[in-house]
Amino acid sequence: MVNSPQRSIPTTQEPPLSVTDSSPTAPAPPATPPAPPPRRGRPAARIAGLLAAFALLTAVCAVSLAVGARQLGLAEVWAGLWDPASPAHAVVQQMRLPRTLLGLLAGAALGVAGAVMQAVTRNPLADPGLLGINAGASAAVASAAAFLGVATVGGYVWFALAGAAAVTALVYAVGGGRGATPARLALAGAALNAALYSYVSAVMLLDAASLEKMRFWTVGSLASADLATVARVLPFVVVGLAIALAAARPLNALALGDDQARALGANPAVVRAAVIVAVTLLCGAATAACGPLVFVGLLVPHLVHTLTGPDLRWLLPACALLAPVLLLGADVAGRVLGRPGELQVGIMTAVLGGPLFLHLVTRTRAVRA
């Protein structure tokens, strides 16, 4: 038997693809770039900035205690603070320490009040002075001095708080209530500000005794500060600062709009009410103790914004530290430039703040719009 040869079945086998194959293939998806690492240096930079602001404030306080009609060295200032037998004890304890403490409180109050007002109104030019809140406190204090015979800061403070609260509510109502816009709030505040300061001037001119009592107060002054004044305004400033700092996170949410704020768990009505209470306490206490001081609450938040960014959790503490630097620095400059007398701090803040305010008006995009 002859075995027939088996027929082999040809098989076709495709050659393996090589990287140099010229046949068209689907393009590979682009590589996804790696996510950028978290910016760990930003909080550290902000903390370093707050520490630097605190160091600057400490230095300005030391200068405020040392500079005046009688120059004191730092060793004399230290001895005057703690040693009753020191020749500088009376000057430091009775005059310069209360003045410095009052400048700290008033500066922190006005700086934080300005920052929260700019945040809640979304107006870069919002300020306790420009929106008429300081004018309301001034009008109430002038009325109390002229018609009721009130002559102490302990009496002024309650009238100042009532006047600040009334004007805050009035500006909000005239500006449109829930539908208030930054432009309408600014216009309402400017109108009330002019009317109330005209009223204060009229009251002072018609009553010579009131004019004599309040001529330094209406300009804005730290010269008559004493420890009793500091003790009277301290609780109002502390409570106002606490409310403002507690509202920092909800105010950040409110900057995204009311709907987004509700989605993030914030109640816009409650936040705005808390801000009104905080601004009333801060502006009323500062105005009652020092008189109407302008530009502090306007300029400091803008200067601080360039250092901390828009996050109010960092911006408000920085304003609380740097606004007293501006106020005490202006007070020291008034003592030096006005020798042998002195220029009141309200004049100095107006002189220093005016040019910066004009620069801000010309550079702010919101104002141009």
Side-chain angles (χ1 to χ4, degrees):
M1 171 181 273
V2 180
N3 294 330
S4 60
Q6 295 181 355
R7 181 179 297 177
S8 62
I9 300 174
T11 60
T12 59
Q13 184 176 2
E14 295 182 0
L17 293 174
S18 64
V19 294
T20 60
D21 189 14
S22 61
S23 60
T25 57
T32 303
R39 300 178 65 181
R40 299 181 181 274
R42 187 65 172 174
R46 287 169 170 171
I47 293 174
L50 289 179
L51 293 176
F54 180 78
L56 180 61
L57 178 59
T58 303
V60 172
C61 289
V63 173
S64 178
L65 292 173
V67 174
R70 175 187 172 188
Q71 293 290 110
L72 298 175
L74 293 181
E76 293 177 291
V77 169
W78 183 259
L81 284 174
W82 305 108
D83 185 7
S86 171
H89 182 76
V91 174
V92 174
Q93 287 284 349
Q94 297 177 15
M95 298 176 62
R96 297 187 187 173
L97 180 62
R99 187 169 186 160
T100 302
L101 292 176
L102 188 59
L104 284 172
L105 291 177
L110 295 174
V112 171
V116 296
M117 287 182 66
Q118 291 173 13
V120 77
T121 62
R122 301 176 194 172
N123 185 349
L125 298 181
D127 167 73
L130 293 179
L131 291 186
I133 298 174
N134 286 349
S138 300
V141 170
S143 300
F147 305 127
L148 301 178
V150 179
T152 63
V153 174
Y156 287 163
V157 67
W158 299 108
F159 289 95
L161 292 174
V167 172
T168 301
L170 189 57
V171 167
Y172 187 70
V174 174
R178 291 180 177 270
T181 63
R184 293 184 66 179
L185 287 172
L187 291 173
L192 288 171
N193 189 59
L196 290 170
Y197 273 128
S198 299
Y199 168 77
V200 172
S201 299
V203 169
M204 295 297 101
L205 291 175
L206 293 175
D207 189 343
S210 298
L211 175 61
E212 183 63 27
K213 279 191 301 186
M214 300 185 63
R215 61 191 182 96
F216 286 116
W217 182 90
T218 53
V219 173
S221 175
L222 299 175
S224 60
D226 54 27
L227 292 178
T229 300
V230 174
R232 288 188 181 98
V233 302
L234 178 62
F236 300 100
V237 174
V238 169
V239 173
L241 290 176
I243 295 174
L245 293 174
R249 186 184 293 271
L251 279 173
N252 284 337
L254 200 62
L256 304 175
D258 287 6
D259 294 336
Q260 291 292 334
R262 293 188 186 94
L264 293 173
N267 188 329
V270 173
V271 174
R272 291 189 178 98
V275 167
I276 289 174
V277 171
V279 169
T280 299
L281 291 172
L282 295 173
C283 295
T287 304
C290 307
L293 298 172
V294 295
F295 292 118
V296 176
L298 173 65
L299 294 176
V300 172
H302 285 281
L303 298 176
V304 171
H305 185 276
T306 61
L307 303 175
T308 65
D311 191 345
L312 292 169
R313 294 173 298 175
W314 297 95
L315 190 143
L316 293 184
C319 286
L321 292 174
L322 291 177
V325 171
L326 174 63
L327 188 59
L328 289 174
D331 185 45
V332 171
R335 297 183 222 171
V336 173
L337 296 176
R339 286 178 177 173
E342 67 176 75
L343 296 174
Q344 302 303 319
V345 67
I347 298 174
M348 295 304 302
T349 54
V351 170
L352 296 175
L356 292 176
F357 176 72
L358 293 176
H359 174 76
L360 180 65
V361 168
T362 57
R363 294 295 181 181
T364 302
R365 185 179 303 174
V367 174
R368 290 180 178 175

